Amino acid sequence: MNSKNRIRQLRESNNLTLPELSTKLMESNQLKLSSDAISKYERGDREPKLATWEKLADYFKVPVDYLQGRSDDKVGWHLWEENTGYKKETIESQISQLKKFGKISENESIQKQIGLAVSYLDGRGKTDRNAIETASMELSELDNRIHDDFYIDPNKTVNEEKLGNSRLRNMKTEYDGSLYYDDMHKEVYDHISDILQDTRQKLAELENKTPNK
């Protein structure tokens, strides 16, 4: 058993009694632990299951191995480096940049700050390029939704063998609109689609002019 875990240390640093920690664990992590059970974990008289270690670590916002006393890395930098491929210095630099532009709050936990920084490093953050890509994707989905929801009559059948894996909206130059509702007009949909495609093209041109930051 591990008698050098940091459960008691973290509990006391958060000014929590055993009953208070028991209550907060249930409220925040749905982890049902009695005061007696927590006390035994603290003394090393009983070893928590892995799922319990993980929920305790999540509550205290530390890595499991730090909570277990196996590492002195309270933030878990080595785990972030191993799992993301980014060095600590690279992540810290990204955090500083995001704080500079107000995209990370000083009040957020270090784990959340790191997670947000990694999302930007991975190209998933709130950047000009991602805004453009999102707009383009939404326009494509809008085109599809307009076509399927407004024009295709579900009571009419289609030759799946002829179409294969292609969708009708991607064949509009060849498709005659025979599966549309009788009161819907192919030329109107084509015009809507052309407008959306033209806008996507302008977004692509804008993306090429936008710095990759």
Side-chain angles (χ1 to χ4, degrees), residues 39 72 112 136 181 198-199:
S39 179
D72 293 327
K112 186 170 183 180
S136 181
Y181 287 103
D198 287 346
T199 305

Side-chain angles (χ1 to χ4, degrees), residues 158-166 168 171 174-176 178:
V158 60
N159 188 330
E160 296 290 345
E161 183 178 350
K162 177 182 177 181
L163 290 176
N165 293 325
S166 299
L168 291 176
M171 302 173 61
E174 303 174 6
Y175 174 57
D176 61 5
S178 59

Side-chain angles (χ1 to χ4, degrees), residues 15-131:
N15 298 314
L16 294 172
T17 64
L18 287 167
E20 287 172 340
L21 177 57
S22 176
T23 299
K24 288 185 176 295
L25 287 171
M26 183 61 191
E27 292 175 346
S28 61
N29 290 43
Q30 294 296 302
L31 179 58
K32 189 175 182 179
L33 288 178
S34 67
S35 299
D36 182 60
I38 297 173
S39 179
K40 288 179 179 178
Y41 291 159
E42 291 182 350
R43 296 195 305 269
D45 295 340
R46 182 187 296 176
E47 185 78 6
K49 295 180 180 179
L50 177 58
T52 302
W53 276 121
E54 291 173 343
K55 288 192 174 184
L56 284 167
D58 181 62
Y59 174 77
F60 288 116
K61 295 181 172 58
V62 296
V64 170
D65 57 354
Y66 177 85
L67 184 63
Q68 292 175 330
R70 303 179 188 277
S71 167
D72 293 327
D73 185 357
K74 188 174 183 178
V75 174
W77 282 112
H78 67 294
L79 296 174
W80 282 104
E81 288 181 337
E82 290 173 6
N83 293 326
T84 68
Y86 299 115
K87 293 294 186 182
K88 174 184 175 183
E89 294 75 17
T90 301
I91 298 174
E92 288 180 323
S93 176
Q94 184 66 58
I95 289 174
S96 296
Q97 184 176 5
L98 293 174
K99 285 182 177 179
K100 177 181 177 181
F101 293 107
K103 293 185 175 181
I104 283 183
S105 169
E106 293 284 356
N107 297 325
E108 290 175 317
S109 71
I110 184 61
Q111 298 300 319
K112 186 170 183 180
Q113 291 184 30
I114 295 172
L116 286 170
V118 168
S119 73
Y120 275 82
L121 290 169
D122 285 344
R124 295 179 285 109
K126 294 180 181 179
T127 63
D128 290 328
R129 279 185 172 272
N130 285 350

Side-chain angles (χ1 to χ4, degrees), residues 6-16 42 60:
R6 293 185 169 98
I7 300 175
R8 180 175 180 178
Q9 175 188 332
L10 289 169
R11 174 177 63 80
E12 292 180 344
S13 67
N14 282 272
N15 298 314
L16 294 172
E42 291 182 350
F60 288 116

